[in-house]
Amino acid sequence: MDWFPICMGAFGVAFIVFIFLKSYLDDKKERRVLTEIFQQHGIRTNAKVVGFQEHHTYGRGIPGRFEIDISFRYPSPRIGDSPCTVKLWTNDPACKDYPDEIPIVYVPPYIDYLYELTDSAELIRQIGQPVNIYAVRLLLFEKDIAKSTSMRSIDELQRGNASEKV
């Protein structure tokens, strides 16, 4: 009996199980880190919808099906209260229900980073978590909070902020 094909098959199955397990654990860790970041720093607000575009295909260059240009008042600790215009990406078709104003959740140090008021090292120091700032989204459509974090709804964000202030 030839054992080589059996060993290679077993190795292949073990390798596939390892890849799926590592992917699951990495996703779980990322969700935990994002939950901590949003509970500590997340701010909920409404943003004015400036532009809206739906993409039928998306991937590396287009991170979401819906691209929404939004504008909101941002109380920057560096430059004071200023208007902020950024792109919001989401795959949730519920964003179409908000033609004028859309509820968002953002992390203030991330907005400073987008406007080049801080660098990536300062952003990571301020949020207190080692994250890949090019891969994580720290500006979310309110309904995406359950998809990106371990929180079930935005209400948990409010409870998290209220418990820290007490």
Side-chain angles (χ1 to χ4, degrees):
M1 179 174 215
D2 194 8
W3 290 99
F4 183 73
I6 295 171
C7 290
M8 290 306 294
F11 175 75
V13 168
F15 183 71
I16 290 171
V17 168
F18 169 77
I19 295 295
F20 281 111
L21 186 61
K22 178 153 178 34
S23 175
Y24 170 76
L25 293 175
D26 286 348
D27 183 54
K28 191 173 179 179
K29 179 182 175 186
E30 180 179 317
R31 291 171 69 86
R32 181 186 53 78
V33 167
L34 285 177
T35 299
E36 289 178 20
I37 290 171
F38 277 105
Q39 284 180 335
Q40 290 176 4
H41 304 285
I43 294 178
R44 180 180 183 252
T45 189
N46 287 330
K48 182 181 178 198
V49 175
V50 178
F52 182 87
Q53 185 175 5
E54 181 176 355
H55 299 280
H56 296 288
T57 60
Y58 56 94
R60 188 177 229 174
I62 302 173
R65 182 174 176 193
F66 302 102
E67 174 184 354
I68 308 165
D69 293 323
I70 58 172
S71 177
F72 60 97
R73 300 295 299 172
Y74 169 58
S76 173
R78 298 193 186 273
I79 58 174
D81 192 31
S82 62
C84 176
T85 304
V86 294
K87 289 195 182 301
L88 174 67
W89 297 93
T90 184
N91 290 327
D92 193 342
C95 68
K96 292 180 183 180
D97 298 339
Y98 302 94
D100 299 325
E101 281 194 346
I102 189 165
I104 62 168
V105 180
Y106 69 94
V107 175
Y110 181 67
I111 302 299
D112 284 338
Y113 172 74
L114 288 178
Y115 277 93
E116 298 179 352
L117 300 173
T118 62
D119 61 356
S120 59
E122 177 68 15
L123 169 65
I124 291 171
R125 188 192 65 73
Q126 286 179 1
I127 61 176
Q129 298 287 340
V131 296
N132 181 354
I133 59 171
Y134 305 108
V136 299
R137 297 184 335 175
L138 299 176
L139 170 70
L140 296 174
F141 173 46
E142 182 180 283
K143 295 187 187 249
D144 285 343
I145 198 84
K147 294 175 187 157
S148 300
T149 68
S150 299
M151 293 184 278
R152 291 180 299 279
S153 72
I154 197 68
D155 297 331
E156 292 181 38
L157 173 74
Q158 301 305 327
R159 279 195 300 259
N161 286 343
S163 66
E164 285 181 15
K165 293 178 183 174
V166 172

